[in-house]
Amino acid sequence: MGEKKCPECKPGSPLWMSTFTDMNQLLLTFFILLLSMASMDQRKIKVALGSLQGSLGVLKEGSQTEYTKDDIMSRLSFVKNVQSMKNKLSENIKTYAQQANLQQNITVSESKKGVAVRIMDSALFAPGTADIKTEAYPLLDKFAAVISESPFNVVVEGHTDDLPITTAQYPTNWELSTARAVNVVKYFVNKGVDAQKLSASGYGSYHPVTPNISPESRAKNRRVEINFVSPELAESNKNLFDAEEEAQATQGGK
């Protein structure tokens, strides 16, 4: 008898290989999407990874990634409380500015990030210096008390106009704006404000609120901003920093 011939192979890849390739492509797309949104909240990333584990059949019995009704209600309550705190903070500062006759020097605004307070530099410093004027002490004392009593973190920003400055102490507007922000933060710390709630940054002339086309507009741009960051955003950023520190520590231990 002649040898039995093998059945002729069908052209193309096996069916199982096509399915396996499709699954790999989907997984690759999913992880690229996660990487492109690497700045998103860590809690959301954990939820997304939990969903992936469930789809691969490794979700622990009794575990779940969806939010419960209690989670949603707690979230809504937190958002309402933050908004209420922002409103009270804004009204408190506006009332003080009116009582102290500082409406021309202080501007208060609210945003999703929190509450921003702009103080004209003339209310705090002499021209070209970062030394806080004695007359500004009551104003900064008020802010120190407000910061201590509030749950907000605070970012103090220094800003200047576009006119160049060249002195032995401050060669550029960068140095001047940064020194002013740092001195305000140091003043708050000396008044007992928790240093962990504070940060300082200098922007020079690169974040104007109005074009530098007149003495009046330049005066508006020379300012110190005291930004009360929403507790939600402050906690979210804290989690991000903690995650980065943990990752670096893990890599260093290998």
Side-chain angles (χ1 to χ4, degrees):
M1 293 179 62
E3 294 183 0
K4 187 176 181 180
K5 294 184 178 181
C6 294
E8 185 177 353
C9 296
K10 296 182 180 180
S13 60
L15 296 179
W16 69 266
M17 185 175 293
S18 299
T19 303
F20 183 77
T21 303
D22 287 343
M23 183 185 72
N24 284 336
Q25 289 177 340
L26 289 174
L27 286 175
L28 177 62
T29 303
F30 178 79
F31 284 110
I32 291 176
L33 179 62
L34 282 183
L35 181 62
S36 68
M37 297 187 299
S39 62
M40 69 185 292
D41 190 277
Q42 294 295 309
R43 184 177 181 184
K44 294 180 180 179
I45 293 179
K46 291 179 181 178
V47 171
L49 291 177
S51 299
L52 175 62
Q53 290 176 341
S55 66
L56 296 178
V58 295
L59 189 62
K60 295 181 180 180
E61 182 179 358
S63 299
Q64 58 181 15
T65 57
E66 65 270 11
Y67 291 105
T68 65
K69 180 180 178 181
D70 290 340
D71 292 333
I72 296 174
M73 295 304 295
S74 176
R75 170 69 176 170
L76 291 175
S77 177
F78 178 80
V79 171
K80 290 180 180 179
N81 288 337
V82 170
Q83 185 60 46
S84 176
M85 288 186 291
K86 287 165 58 176
N87 294 339
K88 291 179 180 179
L89 178 62
S90 297
E91 290 302 320
N92 189 359
I93 297 174
K94 289 177 181 178
T95 301
Y96 172 79
Q98 186 175 8
Q99 292 174 347
N101 198 25
L102 293 172
Q103 302 97 314
Q104 300 300 320
N105 293 315
I106 298 178
T107 304
V108 183
S109 61
E110 292 186 31
S111 68
K112 291 182 178 179
K113 294 182 179 180
V115 178
V117 182
R118 293 174 181 166
I119 307 175
M120 298 297 99
D121 74 326
S122 58
L124 300 175
F125 310 99
T129 73
D131 298 325
I132 299 174
K133 297 193 297 186
T134 306
E135 309 90 89
Y137 290 171
L139 172 60
L140 294 182
D141 288 345
K142 173 64 176 179
F143 277 102
V146 170
I147 295 170
S148 297
E149 296 173 358
S150 76
F152 294 83
N153 281 3
V154 172
V155 180
V156 179
E157 300 177 358
H159 298 268
T160 67
D161 58 26
D162 63 341
L163 296 179
I165 180 175
T166 304
T167 65
Q169 191 172 10
Y170 307 113
T172 68
N173 283 322
W174 282 110
E175 282 89 349
L176 177 61
S177 64
T178 302
R180 286 180 167 180
V182 169
N183 283 349
V184 171
V185 166
K186 290 168 64 178
Y187 186 92
F188 289 153
V189 172
N190 290 335
K191 290 296 178 178
V193 177
D194 184 359
Q196 292 186 346
K197 298 176 66 173
L198 301 170
S199 61
S201 56
Y203 290 95
S205 61
Y206 297 100
H207 289 264
V209 293
T210 184
N212 290 289
I213 57 177
S214 68
E216 292 76 16
S217 62
R218 288 190 173 93
K220 293 180 180 179
N221 291 329
R222 297 191 301 269
R223 68 197 190 276
V224 168
E225 292 193 7
I226 301 178
N227 297 307
F228 293 81
V229 181
S230 168
E232 179 185 16
L233 294 177
E235 185 64 24
S236 175
N237 291 335
K238 179 178 181 298
N239 290 339
L240 286 175
F241 296 145
D242 289 345
E244 292 175 359
E245 291 175 358
E246 183 178 349
Q248 292 174 358
T250 302
Q251 292 175 357
K254 291 181 179 180

